[in-house]
């Protein structure tokens, strides 16, 4: 399985979007409008800084390039926060397990986005928001979202994901 470490690429995107928000958008009076515009810009940044930096086997023509399969791989003994299921309209809580630690071989995580507990005024993008794809020791958590500190993990591009 070809897994390419793209942590540096992701860090560049994180730094760029953080700076953009914190310096140019966070202080504007219409915070809702700013958040909407920022999300659109961030999507474009991701496409141009990350996706375009990933090489695809046999470049797909035109628009049929699938979104990249990005894996978040924790370092040894990384603290993980697992989302507790909540009812519709309820706030999500990230306290399913207290002080749970995982290592790179314990769990398979897909990158969803960056995450901060507070959205305004400043964004740090302190966490990777992930989807749990496989967690053999806690199979019931599969499909749930989880948070890992950015400093506790690396991001890899699974280059063969589209061919399975």
């Amino acid at each position: 399985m070809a897994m390419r470490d793209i942590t540096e690429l992701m860090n560049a995107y994180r730094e760029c979007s953080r700076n953009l928000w914190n310096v140019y958008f966070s202080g504007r009076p219409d915070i809702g409008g700013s958040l909407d515009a920022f999300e659109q810009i961030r999507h474009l940044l991701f496409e141009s800084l990350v996706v375009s930096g990933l090489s695809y086997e046999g470049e797909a023509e035109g628009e049929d390039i699938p979104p990249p399969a990005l894996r978040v791989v924790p370092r040894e003994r990384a603290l993980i926060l697992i989302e507790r299921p909540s009812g519709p309209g309820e706030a999500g809580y990230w306290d399913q397990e207290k002080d749970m630690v995982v290592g790179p071989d314990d769990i398979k995580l897909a990158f969803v986005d960056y995450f901060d507990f507070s959205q305004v005024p400043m964004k740090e993008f302190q966490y990777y928001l992930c989807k749990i794809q496989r967690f053999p020791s806690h199979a019931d958590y599969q499909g749930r979202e989880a948070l890992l500190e950015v400093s506790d993990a690396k991001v890899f591009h699974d280059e063969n994901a589209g061919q399975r």
Side-chain angles (χ1 to χ4, degrees), residues 18-34:
R18 242 177 58 175
N19 191 45
L20 197 64
W21 172 261
N22 293 339
V23 177
Y24 302 99
F25 282 93
S26 66
R28 295 171 72 184
D30 174 15
I31 205 71
S34 291

Side-chain angles (χ1 to χ4, degrees), residues 45-67:
L45 278 179
F46 186 77
E47 292 291 315
S48 12
L49 294 177
V50 178
V51 178
S52 69
L54 304 174
S55 55
Y56 286 90
E57 293 298 309
E59 281 298 331
E61 288 299 314
E63 292 301 302
D64 46 352
I65 298 179

Side-chain angles (χ1 to χ4, degrees), residues 20 26 28 47 86 108 117 129 134 150-151 158 164:
L20 197 64
S26 66
R28 295 171 72 184
E47 292 291 315
S86 57
K108 186 177 176 189
F117 281 104
L129 173 63
R134 223 180 44 245
V150 166
S151 56
D158 184 349
R164 292 196 195 106

Side-chain angles (χ1 to χ4, degrees), residues 96-163:
Q96 178 65 48
E97 297 259 350
K98 288 277 175 256
D99 305 324
M100 179 183 246
V101 292
V102 291
D105 302 324
D106 302 332
I107 192 166
K108 186 177 176 189
L109 297 164
F111 173 83
V112 176
D113 202 351
Y114 285 101
F115 181 87
D116 282 305
F117 281 104
S118 73
Q119 288 294 299
V120 288
M122 299 308 238
K123 289 181 186 291
E124 285 305 319
F125 293 136
Q126 184 182 353
Y127 295 95
Y128 290 121
L129 173 63
C130 311
K131 184 81 120 175
I132 300 174
Q133 294 182 314
R134 223 180 44 245
F135 197 179
S137 62
H138 294 78
D140 51 321
Y141 293 168
Q142 208 162 298
R144 285 207 211 163
E145 292 192 328
L147 298 177
L148 273 173
E149 290 253 9
V150 166
S151 56
D152 278 346
K154 287 183 174 294
V155 183
F156 290 84
H157 177 219
D158 184 349
E159 294 175 335
N160 303 333
Q163 295 150 14

Side-chain angles (χ1 to χ4, degrees), residues 13-44:
Y13 160 69
R14 173 182 177 232
E15 206 41 58
C16 181
S17 38
R18 242 177 58 175
N19 191 45
L20 197 64
W21 172 261
N22 293 339
V23 177
Y24 302 99
F25 282 93
S26 66
R28 295 171 72 184
D30 174 15
I31 205 71
S34 291
L35 280 166
D36 291 346
F38 177 68
E39 283 311 311
Q40 292 177 31
I41 293 167
R42 220 161 63 91
H43 179 74
L44 287 172

